[in-house]
Amino acid sequence: MSIKRLSAAALAGVVAAALVAFAPTASAASDRTVKIAGWGAKSGPLRSFGVNSEAVLKAAVQAINDAGGVKLGDGTMADMELDYHDSACNADQAISVARKVESQSEALIGIGPTCSGAAAAMYGIFQKTVDDDSDTGLQFPILTDTAIRPGLAKKSQWTFRNVPNEITMYDELFKWLREQYPDVSTIYGGTETDQAHSKLTFAIVIVPMAKKHGFEWVGGGIEGVTGAVREGYENVLEVSKSSNWLLADTNFSVQARAFKKSGADMMIVSSHPFTTCGMLKEMKRQRINPKVLVGLTSSSSAETLKGCADAAEGIYIPTGFAPITEAAAMVAAAAEANGGSADLHSAAAWENAHIIKQVVEATGVMAKPETLAEDRRKMRDGLEALVNVDGLLGEIGRVQDEGESIKPYVFVQARSGDWEVVHDPR
Amino acid sequence: MGDFWFEFVEITQTIGDGLFFGATYSLIGIGFTLIFGAMHKLNMTYAAASLAGAYVGLAAFTFVNAPALVVFLISALASGLIGLVVYVACFRFIPVNNHLAALMASIGALFFIDEIVVHTTDGSPLTFPAMFEYVMLEVGPWGLRGDLLFVLAVSVASTVGLLYVLYRSRLGLATRAVSQQDVAARLCGIDVHRTNATTFVLAGLLGGVAGAMTAAAVGVLSPLVTVPLTVKGLIVTVIGGLGSIPGAIVAGLLVGGLENVFLYFRGVNERDMYVLLLLFVFLVFRPHGIFGSAIDRD
């Protein structure tokens, strides 16, 4: 490095340090704040999801404020302020929190909820089409971080999501598995049928995508499943086809025997950590050893490894988060410091806070009580206009007319009690 | 012949697995029925307290790596203690004839205990130690899970112990006396509150064993199990006959076996519907259950 370059680097360092040092002063000078509201499951059996999201959001807001805050429309620097609410995994509570935050707080935007069922119901109370005066639905922007069931955000033009696209992820996963395991030809599996995300992802996405890449359901296939998303999905869940269970089930002997009887090369367990563990343990007991085991995105978390690391050994899952970049590793550490853990759901909360900062700065939000409605509208329009944003694993693309994201992803495999990245298609 | 034999093995294996797993339902049912028998009140907290006891046992495993047997023992003791607290909080000071207040108090305590567990564990599923977890005894084409055999053995031993206490000890005599006529029992010098409290502790000890056995049978403990286990316990209690311990045992095994049969033939979405239909049939046509004393409809 030449002296000239070194001087330039040193100068840049000094400027950056000065900016950081003076930023709190500028921020402190402003009595305005960029208020955001978050909500998720902080009670009930899915509490870990809300705890993780809140931990990551807090860390993100802290990082933004430490770096000087958010630049408002008039050039003032303002701190970001987070209020996090408990909406459990419950549609009524999610709707109630959304209404309360919209009407009783000065939050510019909401981040949540945890569960897809709650999100689907909650999105229904928002104005469907912007500027439709006949629609009295809420006019308040939402940027969901966790609820992942495909295709939800298009319910309203005020609702947006930054969640992994499971269709793309499983499409690519089965394509990759086809290359890795050319001798694998048959598949079989099951899901928890009382959990919307597990069930629909299994029937609408996973089984069709496996079919698309040449894997055959044992016994000659399932009627109507052609390899296209959604086609024939009702038939996937028939008793004679897949072997399923419920979210709180404790006995998996019948289902595991059906798996064994199938003799499939590849087996799919599409459920959340508790029953994933119950089912995998039963499979281990019955000495079921498929050549390939595939799980649901939501099970690529610390919970699964806490519950059944030994039984989960070898399972493949696509995920939108792994601490494989400097930024992602930093977020993982920050989440842990805040009492949570970063996974494919909660890590999105970090990205969301930074997306909000970007949109506030791009649209000239004023963050004054008298401009609240106008600012919320600016946030919505800003989110809709986004084309690409920086994510923890790389660039996040947007599907503007659907309010959805196209996130980078990797494939992980459970190995010796840890999730290891086995394929990185970025 | 081959297909018939295969199907026969499948069905008998399905029933067998269900019967073994039903042993945990029996234990929960016994707890419900024991308290109902003594006080003629339903303790809705019972399954939640049983699982909370299992969580305390799990803490011993997590923090000091206690062996499985010690974990089960701690689970039972903790659940017994929680049972005592539940008695004091939900039953002791509520007038004897106010059944609704006691019922509602115990429902409140159910959710309170559940939320404590959820907040302590963040709702994460946690590995629970098991005895003979991956042992599978093979008898011809049938397989018997070693851990479920252990669960059954512990259930039988616990039930025998309980029956011994009830029918061969002064405490059992007092419990039965209070159950039959509490005023007469009081006149005979029996301390009714102490007897009821002891019954709650006894039921709690059994519940702790049930909670630990359920968790050990699944291999994972989660607060998700609380409400379904409460419902199963109530179904078993009603089918077996409110207040009947042999009834709870038989009904637990029956529900476990039938549950698997319904699952095998009709799938998981219809399974619980048939179990609840069974409950409905009993309530209408045999309201005193299999072994309960006859109830006069009028």
Side-chain angles (χ1 to χ4, degrees):
Chain A
M1 184 184 276
S2 69
I3 299 283
K4 199 171 176 181
R5 273 193 180 174
L6 189 62
S7 303
L11 181 65
V14 169
V15 170
L19 280 174
V20 170
F22 285 104
T25 313
S27 168
S30 165
D31 56 356
R32 285 183 280 164
T33 53
V34 172
K35 294 186 174 68
I36 62 172
W39 56 93
K42 283 195 70 187
S43 58
L46 298 180
R47 176 176 148 81
S48 62
F49 286 82
V51 167
N52 291 341
S53 279
E54 186 183 18
V56 173
L57 260 179
K58 275 184 179 168
V61 168
Q62 184 67 46
I64 287 169
N65 292 339
D66 286 349
V70 186
K71 190 175 182 182
L72 300 176
D74 58 3
T76 309
M77 295 302 288
D79 275 354
M80 193 178 268
E81 192 181 304
L82 168 73
D83 260 338
Y84 201 90
H85 307 264
D86 178 15
S87 61
C89 181
N90 179 295
D92 290 340
Q93 272 183 255
I95 288 172
S96 168
V97 171
R99 286 194 192 283
K100 188 177 168 190
V101 166
E102 189 269 346
S103 62
Q104 295 176 23
S105 81
E106 291 180 3
L108 295 177
I109 187 168
I111 299 173
T114 296
C115 296
S116 295
M122 190 191 85
Y123 290 173
I125 65 163
F126 287 78
Q127 188 182 51
K128 190 168 173 52
T129 309
V130 177
D131 295 330
D132 177 0
D133 294 337
S134 66
D135 184 345
T136 56
L138 299 187
Q139 296 175 36
F140 178 73
I142 295 288
L143 182 55
T144 295
D145 57 338
T146 302
I148 193 173
R149 192 205 309 171
L152 289 182
K154 58 187 171 194
K155 277 194 157 196
S156 162
Q157 290 184 345
W158 288 88
T159 55
F160 300 85
R161 294 198 304 176
N162 175 33
V163 297
N165 185 318
E166 290 188 314
I167 297 171
T168 310
M169 288 158 83
Y170 280 103
D171 188 5
E172 289 299 319
L173 175 68
F174 286 113
K175 183 179 165 193
W176 180 74
L177 289 172
R178 175 88 278 170
E179 292 161 10
Q180 300 299 310
Y181 298 92
D183 57 327
V184 167
S185 59
T186 54
I187 57 166
Y188 187 75
T191 184
E192 38 191 23
T193 57
D194 58 342
Q195 222 290 336
H197 169 221
S198 317
K199 178 178 84 172
L200 293 176
T201 298
F202 176 67
I204 288 173
V205 179
I206 296 179
V207 176
M209 289 302 112
K211 167 83 178 172
K212 179 181 169 183
H213 292 286
F215 297 107
E216 277 300 324
W217 197 264
V218 285
I222 299 172
E223 196 182 337
V225 176
T226 60
V229 174
R230 280 184 186 275
E231 275 190 14
Y233 80 93
E234 304 95 334
N235 302 331
V236 175
L237 301 169
E238 273 182 14
V239 182
S240 59
K241 292 301 177 187
S242 52
S243 187
N244 307 309
W245 54 91
L246 302 182
L247 183 65
D249 271 0
T250 48
N251 182 5
F252 302 89
S253 59
V254 173
Q255 294 91 336
R257 267 205 317 285
F259 272 51
K260 191 173 190 175
K261 188 177 160 188
S262 78
D265 300 326
M266 185 194 298
M267 293 182 181
I268 299 157
V269 176
S270 176
S271 54
H272 286 78
F274 174 59
T275 59
T276 293
C277 282
M279 185 63 192
L280 292 178
K281 287 203 170 203
E282 185 62 35
M283 286 171 68
K284 187 170 177 183
R285 260 181 225 115
Q286 295 194 22
R287 299 181 194 122
I288 302 169
N289 297 305
K291 289 176 185 165
V292 182
L293 192 58
V294 172
L296 181 70
T297 47
S298 295
S299 278
S300 65
S301 63
E303 278 77 38
T304 305
L305 298 181
K306 264 192 230 171
C308 58
D310 58 339
E313 184 74 14
I315 193 168
Y316 287 108
I317 303 183
T319 178
F321 179 80
I324 51 172
T325 64
E326 203 176 313
M330 187 264 290
V331 170
E336 208 169 315
N338 273 289
S341 73
D343 56 30
L344 88 156
H345 297 303
S346 60
W350 176 281
E351 294 166 342
N352 286 9
H354 286 82
I355 289 171
I356 289 167
K357 176 182 187 299
Q358 189 181 329
V359 171
V360 167
E361 292 177 347
T363 57
V365 162
M366 298 304 290
K368 292 177 180 173
E370 62 270 25
T371 61
L372 182 60
E374 191 187 328
D375 286 344
R376 286 174 174 174
R377 176 60 189 262
K378 282 180 183 171
M379 293 299 296
R380 193 217 76 85
D381 293 347
L383 284 172
E384 191 178 63
L386 277 181
V387 179
N388 292 312
V389 290
D390 288 334
L392 292 169
L393 294 193
E395 195 173 76
I396 301 172
R398 305 285 307 163
V399 185
Q400 275 102 333
D401 57 340
E402 293 189 0
E404 301 284 4
S405 303
I406 303 165
K407 299 188 73 167
Y409 54 87
V410 294
F411 303 151
V412 293
Q413 187 179 31
R415 287 183 183 170
S416 308
D418 211 350
W419 291 113
E420 277 191 29
V421 175
V422 289
H423 182 59
D424 183 353
R426 291 173 303 148
Chain B
M1 181 63 187
D3 280 354
F4 173 78
W5 174 245
F6 186 80
E7 196 66 12
F8 175 75
V9 170
E10 276 293 296
I11 292 168
T12 47
Q13 178 75 59
T14 295
I15 295 169
D17 284 346
L19 288 175
F20 277 106
F21 206 85
T24 57
Y25 298 163
S26 294
L27 282 178
I28 292 289
I30 290 171
F32 272 109
T33 218
L34 189 61
I35 290 167
F36 186 86
M39 293 186 72
H40 300 288
K41 283 178 182 167
L42 276 176
N43 173 21
M44 297 295 287
T45 318
Y46 187 62
S50 304
L51 288 170
Y55 270 104
V56 176
L58 182 60
F61 173 71
T62 308
F63 296 117
V64 297
N65 204 21
L69 272 178
V70 175
V71 170
F72 298 158
L73 188 66
I74 292 174
S75 302
L77 292 174
S79 183
L81 189 63
I82 296 168
L84 181 62
V85 172
V86 168
Y87 171 69
V88 172
C90 305
F91 295 89
R92 168 68 179 84
F93 299 105
I94 289 177
V96 176
N97 293 328
N98 197 341
H99 293 275
L100 186 62
L103 181 71
M104 296 312 288
S106 73
I107 290 175
L110 184 168
F111 291 112
F112 180 67
I113 292 173
D114 201 35
E115 274 305 309
I116 289 177
V117 168
V118 164
H119 277 73
T120 310
T121 64
D122 287 344
S124 295
L126 300 169
T127 294
F128 197 89
M131 304 282 285
F132 318 112
E133 189 177 17
Y134 293 119
V135 173
M136 192 66 109
L137 304 177
E138 285 172 2
V139 184
W142 293 276
L144 289 176
R145 267 174 60 176
D147 58 340
L148 286 187
L149 275 173
F150 177 72
V151 170
L152 187 68
V154 171
S155 304
V156 170
S158 306
T159 308
V160 169
L162 178 70
L163 290 173
Y164 179 82
V165 169
L166 278 180
Y167 292 99
R168 291 280 183 274
S169 72
R170 286 175 64 83
L171 170 65
L173 186 65
T175 306
R176 284 182 289 131
V178 171
S179 161
Q180 285 161 15
Q181 221 332 319
D182 66 334
V183 176
R186 209 184 301 255
L187 289 171
C188 291
I190 294 172
D191 184 336
V192 172
H193 293 307
R194 178 176 289 183
T195 306
N196 284 340
T198 313
T199 307
F200 267 77
V201 172
L202 261 181
L205 290 170
L206 201 65
V209 174
M213 290 300 114
T214 305
V218 188
V220 184
L221 192 52
S222 161
L224 277 169
V225 182
T226 307
V227 173
L229 206 57
T230 302
V231 174
K232 293 276 165 54
L234 286 172
I235 292 172
V236 164
T237 310
V238 171
I239 291 177
L242 283 165
S244 166
I245 290 174
I249 296 167
V250 172
L253 300 178
L254 184 72
V255 169
L258 285 176
E259 207 176 46
N260 263 16
V261 171
F262 296 141
L263 173 65
Y264 182 78
F265 285 107
R266 302 300 307 164
V268 74
N269 291 339
E270 292 182 20
R271 180 195 63 193
D272 292 352
M273 198 170 77
Y274 293 113
V275 174
L276 291 168
L277 185 65
L278 189 69
L279 172 69
F280 179 72
V281 167
F282 266 90
L283 282 171
V284 172
F285 297 106
R286 198 177 167 85
H288 52 282
I290 301 173
F291 290 105
S293 42
I295 299 166
D296 188 339
R297 193 177 288 275
D298 300 317

